[in-house]
Amino acid sequence: MVYALQIKPSAQKEMAAIQRHEALKINKAILALANNPLPTGSKKLKATENKYRIRIGNYRVIYNIQSNILTILILKIAHRKEAYK
């Protein structure tokens, strides 16, 4: 099954602020989520229903899996120091 990807506008702004070589790695990881929403190393966030995170270097991508409509919503892209605030 291939999931549809949606990115919140705030996450797009966060991505635009990241250096190009890091942004390319993050973009590749996000696109891979469409085929495998729970890749090796992904982790479910505590006290949430459907939120997960993946690590790409010093950055974190926080996303929500909506299994009933086969959609992944990218909520936040941030440096590890600021990702969980």
Side-chain angles (χ1 to χ4, degrees):
M1 278 187 284
V2 177
Y3 284 71
L5 292 172
Q6 293 182 348
I7 301 177
K8 286 182 66 172
S10 58
Q12 288 178 340
K13 286 181 184 179
E14 293 165 346
M15 181 74 136
I18 298 172
Q19 292 181 356
R20 182 172 169 78
H21 69 279
E22 293 289 338
L24 291 173
K25 292 179 194 175
I26 293 168
N27 191 36
K28 184 178 177 181
I30 289 173
L31 292 175
L33 288 175
N35 292 320
N36 183 9
L38 296 172
T40 304
S42 66
K43 189 172 185 180
K44 185 176 184 315
L45 298 179
K46 293 181 180 179
T48 63
E49 213 172 297
N50 293 325
K51 286 186 183 177
Y52 295 84
R53 68 105 170 110
I54 54 173
R55 300 184 326 179
I56 301 102
N58 287 329
Y59 290 89
R60 305 296 183 259
V61 175
I62 298 173
Y63 61 99
N64 187 354
I65 299 174
Q66 300 169 344
S67 297
N68 56 342
I69 57 173
L70 296 178
T71 301
I72 294 174
L73 177 62
I74 306 298
L75 302 171
K76 188 170 191 172
I77 302 167
H79 191 272
R80 64 187 178 98
K81 292 180 182 178
E82 301 169 3
Y84 306 107
K85 292 181 181 180

